[in-house]
Amino acid sequence: MNLSLVDPFILAQDYPETLAGHLRSGHATCLRFSHSGEYLASGRVDGVIVIFDVETNGVARKLRGHTRQMQSLSWSRDGRYLLSSSQDWKCILWDLKDGSRVRVVRFDAPVYIAELHPFNHLLFVASLFEDQPRLVDMSSTIPIKHILPSAPRRQGQDDASSTGHVSEKQAAQDAKQTTCVTVFASSGEYILAGTNRGWLNIIHTSTRQTIYSNRLTNGVIIFLRLTSSGREMVVNSSDRIIRTVHLPDLSSSSSSTLSTSVSSDGGGSVMMVNPEKMTLEVEHKFQDVVNRLSWNHVAFSSTGEYVMASTYKNHDVYVWERSRGSLVKILEGPKEELGVVEWHPTKPLVTACGLETGKIYIWSIATPQRWSALAPDFAEVEENVEYQEREDEFDIHPISVLHQRRLDREDEEVDVLNLNGGSNNHNFGPRSMGMMKRGNFNGLLQQRRGRRRRRGEGDHHEDEEDDLEGEGEEKGDYGGSFRMPVLLNISESESEEEIVAVGPGTMRRKDKDKDPLLSGGGGGGGGGGDTSTSTHGLTVAADETRTRGSTTETRTPTPSTPGVNNNITTNGGAGGGGGGGGNKRGAKKKR
């Protein structure tokens, strides 16, 4: 019963192959996976942020605070906070526990990109349009903005403020440089900044001084992205060449490359990397020599073994292998140009947003399912095999014996969540607790109570609720990552589907106010045809059948959630001419 439906050898493939589907909630302009890979944040052209549950493709939350197109998104390490930047000259830090705004930072210019500190969600760096970048400290209610330098550090300079042996003409040209993109190193002690003249500057976070500069290209550095380890970086520039760069160890634990420097704010000496011992090595250069394509966006794979990029005025996504430096796959599918592309942190899954329609396209591995896993007693065979009948296979047993066997089987707790054995000791894992978070807590509680009633042990409601909740508390924060509560009211989902999945095995229809056939009338009205069932708490309504034209639709309502309006109105027979448009309309159709 716990066998895998998917062949594990197929899952060993490192990169996706085919277009699996798409998501749609408005016109998406930027994407970003959380570090755990459970959620996908999408910024829209109207300034709304939509967060999808990756497993169910349902809308988990919507954030409204920007008024113009979204530019970038950045997750905190635990997945609880999200930083967004927009063309409305604002950056907002969101708390996804309740969807509130922790801080709102306004700038004097549009924001290119903003990135959160790896370990401090109250510190971020932002690149501005035709202005110097800012390091913003949001620990106080009034954010503090520190200006970062854009001029490169050339040989012969003692520090970032002195000109040294640089001529006045060269210094004047360096002063005109602007920073296009900024990201934190993996340790957060340094900031990597790319300029419009092709320079890569390494800036110390505490002193805000440029300690090292290297010119990677003659064009504009458009985008930077680091691997999860922080030792590899991919650079996208305007010269149509994608470069992968091996970074030195920028952590304070690397004593061989450390030197002492005096802080610019008078805070004493600070240990930093010695620039004389630092070197940047360009590992590979990826380009399309034949078509001379430009690249819209670049990203690493989850392991850093592959580099992918979306193309300018083209609908393909190119995937290169870093170990050999060769092209291994061209992902095809939509017939429109793609913008931002993102690779899932743990899976061979790629997402990209279309520039014309704003759809979010998903590429993954085509996994043929092993249906024999649903019946452990059977196995898939290449050709017919003669069946050997057991001696007692078709014996006739008394009804009482069969009934007792069925009750015994119901008492056994079947583990449908984990792959390794049963869970008779009620040891719910993190995945099971995740399902409880999405609304299956009441289902598990009712199932256990039903077994107790059949055995005549009583209900013990309070004890069982405490047991189930206690097991969740013992798990803590489920491996150190924040679990965002999934909203079940998806009336503003804007999904193309009328019924949307919001959890494992949980389907919800859009809000009845958005569907005229589901909206009931005013008061009054009798008749046996109209039935209104209100489900609150643990009450679950019966199956509902509704006729729309010549099509009959049947659905089973799911357990309701406290605080959510789950009124269900069913239009039935010839009766019930009540005082509203919805019920009267159903009665006329029946006649």
Side-chain angles (χ1 to χ4, degrees):
M1 193 64 188
N2 291 325
L3 296 178
S4 175
L5 277 176
V6 180
D7 190 353
F9 295 99
I10 297 179
L11 296 180
Q13 187 171 336
D14 295 330
Y15 54 88
E17 289 183 340
T18 59
L19 183 66
H22 69 273
L23 301 175
R24 180 66 181 271
S25 181
H27 194 292
T29 58
C30 59
L31 304 171
R32 197 71 181 270
F33 280 104
S34 62
H35 293 278
S36 63
E38 295 183 6
Y39 303 105
L40 173 65
S42 167
R44 302 194 323 199
V45 71
D46 58 355
V48 178
I49 303 172
V50 182
I51 300 178
F52 295 94
D53 187 292
V54 175
E55 182 178 358
T56 64
N57 294 341
V59 176
R61 188 175 291 278
K62 283 193 173 186
L63 306 174
R64 289 180 171 84
H66 293 285
T67 57
R68 292 193 179 183
Q69 177 177 323
M70 299 298 303
Q71 285 293 109
S72 68
L73 298 166
S74 178
W75 290 82
S76 63
R77 180 172 291 270
D78 60 355
R80 175 171 178 175
Y81 299 96
L82 180 68
L83 179 69
S84 60
S85 65
S86 172
Q87 292 182 1
D88 58 2
W89 301 14
K90 290 190 304 183
C91 288
I92 300 179
L93 181 66
W94 304 88
D95 186 355
L96 299 182
K97 184 176 181 180
D98 53 3
S100 61
R101 308 176 197 174
V102 180
R103 295 286 188 273
V104 178
V105 183
R106 301 179 185 275
F107 295 96
D108 298 331
V111 183
Y112 271 138
I113 185 173
E115 190 79 11
L116 274 178
H117 190 277
F119 301 100
N120 184 7
H121 67 274
L122 296 177
L123 186 68
F124 75 92
V125 62
S127 303
L128 306 181
F129 178 72
E130 294 184 350
D131 201 350
Q132 303 302 323
R134 300 292 194 274
L135 178 65
V136 183
D137 184 5
M138 300 182 292
S139 56
S140 60
T141 55
I142 300 178
I144 302 175
K145 307 172 186 175
H146 303 284
I147 299 178
L148 299 178
S150 294
R153 177 191 176 99
R154 299 181 181 272
Q155 294 182 356
Q157 289 182 265
D158 297 333
D159 52 56
S161 59
S162 64
T163 58
H165 301 288
V166 180
S167 63
E168 295 182 358
K169 181 179 179 181
Q170 187 67 57
Q173 292 179 356
D174 292 343
K176 297 180 181 179
Q177 293 197 36
T178 58
T179 300
C180 300
V181 57
T182 51
V183 294
F184 280 101
S186 59
S187 62
E189 300 177 9
Y190 296 91
I191 299 172
L192 306 175
T195 68
N196 60 343
R197 300 288 180 87
W199 284 86
L200 178 68
N201 299 328
I202 300 180
I203 306 172
H204 195 269
T205 305
S206 300
T207 63
R208 299 184 294 279
Q209 296 179 3
T210 302
I211 64 169
Y212 180 81
S213 298
N214 188 2
R215 190 162 195 175
L216 298 177
T217 175
N218 293 326
V220 180
I221 295 181
I222 302 174
F223 190 73
L224 301 174
R225 178 61 64 86
L226 274 64
T227 58
S228 57
S229 63
R231 296 303 302 272
E232 310 293 337
M233 179 178 63
V234 60
V235 181
N236 184 23
S237 58
S238 60
D239 61 355
R240 304 180 183 183
I241 299 177
I242 299 174
R243 296 169 174 85
T244 56
V245 181
H246 181 74
L247 296 176
D249 189 1
L250 298 177
S251 62
S252 58
S253 59
S254 179
S255 58
S256 60
T257 58
L258 290 180
S259 63
T260 304
S261 176
V262 179
S263 177
S264 60
D265 55 2
S269 60
V270 178
M271 299 298 294
M272 64 174 58
V273 176
N274 188 357
E276 297 179 357
K277 299 181 180 180
M278 184 183 302
T279 56
L280 291 181
E281 300 177 359
V282 177
E283 182 185 33
H284 292 293
K285 293 182 179 181
F286 303 110
Q287 58 181 323
D288 190 335
V289 182
V290 178
N291 300 321
R292 297 291 299 169
L293 294 174
S294 298
W295 314 103
N296 291 335
H297 197 270
V298 295
F300 274 115
S301 65
S302 55
T303 59
E305 299 178 2
Y306 299 92
V307 176
M308 69 172 179
S310 59
T311 53
Y312 176 68
K313 290 186 178 181
N314 199 312
H315 55 268
D316 296 333
V317 177
Y318 285 63
V319 180
W320 294 274
E321 186 179 5
R322 283 183 49 226
S323 60
R324 300 179 180 179
S326 59
L327 180 68
V328 296
K329 186 68 176 178
I330 297 179
L331 300 178
E332 301 176 351
K335 300 302 180 183
E336 63 173 320
E337 183 181 350
L338 301 175
V340 177
V341 290
E342 289 291 337
W343 198 302
H344 192 276
T346 59
K347 302 177 182 178
L349 185 144
V350 170
T351 60
C353 57
L355 296 182
E356 298 178 4
T357 63
K359 291 183 180 180
I360 303 174
Y361 298 96
I362 302 175
W363 286 266
S364 63
I365 299 175
T367 54
Q369 294 181 341
R370 298 187 304 172
W371 296 108
S372 59
L374 297 175
D377 297 337
F378 292 86
E380 296 181 1
V381 294
E382 298 294 337
E383 55 185 14
N384 293 335
V385 178
E386 184 178 356
Y387 179 70
Q388 300 293 334
E389 179 183 338
R390 299 195 310 269
E391 183 178 356
D392 60 343
E393 183 173 2
F394 297 101
D395 292 350
I396 300 177
H397 299 281
I399 298 179
S400 59
V401 176
L402 297 177
H403 181 66
Q404 184 62 34
R405 289 181 181 177
R406 182 168 54 85
L407 292 179
D408 294 341
R409 286 195 301 268
E410 290 180 356
D411 290 339
E412 297 178 0
E413 293 189 1
V414 180
D415 182 12
V416 297
L417 304 176
N418 302 317
L419 297 178
N420 300 323
S423 59
N424 294 328
N425 56 351
H426 311 301
N427 183 19
F428 295 98
R431 180 71 194 134
S432 177
M433 295 308 300
M435 295 181 65
M436 289 184 184
K437 288 288 184 179
R438 294 179 173 89
N440 286 0
F441 177 84
N442 294 332
L444 291 174
L445 193 59
Q446 283 184 325
Q447 184 180 4
R448 187 178 294 183
R449 287 175 182 172
R451 289 194 297 266
R452 284 180 177 264
R453 289 193 190 98
R454 287 192 296 270
R455 293 195 297 263
E457 298 179 7
D459 289 344
H460 307 287
H461 290 186
E462 297 180 357
D463 295 340
E464 296 198 24
E465 289 179 358
D466 295 340
D467 291 343
L468 288 176
E469 293 175 356
E471 289 168 2
E473 294 174 357
E474 290 176 1
K475 297 297 179 182
D477 56 357
Y478 313 114
S481 62
F482 168 74
R483 281 194 172 272
M484 182 173 53
V486 177
L487 301 181
L488 295 181
N489 187 6
I490 54 173
S491 59
E492 300 175 353
S493 167
E494 300 173 6
S495 172
E496 296 178 349
E497 303 294 336
E498 186 179 2
I499 300 178
V500 184
V502 295
T506 306
M507 307 292 291
R508 285 295 300 273
R509 186 182 298 277
K510 287 187 180 182
D511 193 276
K512 66 184 184 65
D513 295 334
K514 303 295 182 180
D515 190 350
L517 293 178
L518 288 177
S519 59
D530 296 343
T531 303
S532 178
T533 304
S534 177
T535 59
H536 295 282
L538 295 176
T539 306
V540 181
D543 292 354
E544 171 189 342
T545 303
R546 177 161 55 89
T547 302
R548 180 184 297 179
S550 61
T551 305
T552 301
E553 178 182 349
T554 303
R555 72 181 181 95
T556 302
T558 58
S560 64
T561 301
V564 179
N565 186 6
N566 294 312
N567 294 328
I568 300 173
T569 303
T570 305
N571 296 324
N583 296 338
K584 186 179 295 184
R585 180 180 177 184
K588 288 182 178 179
K589 280 189 175 182
K590 191 64 180 179
R591 294 192 188 95

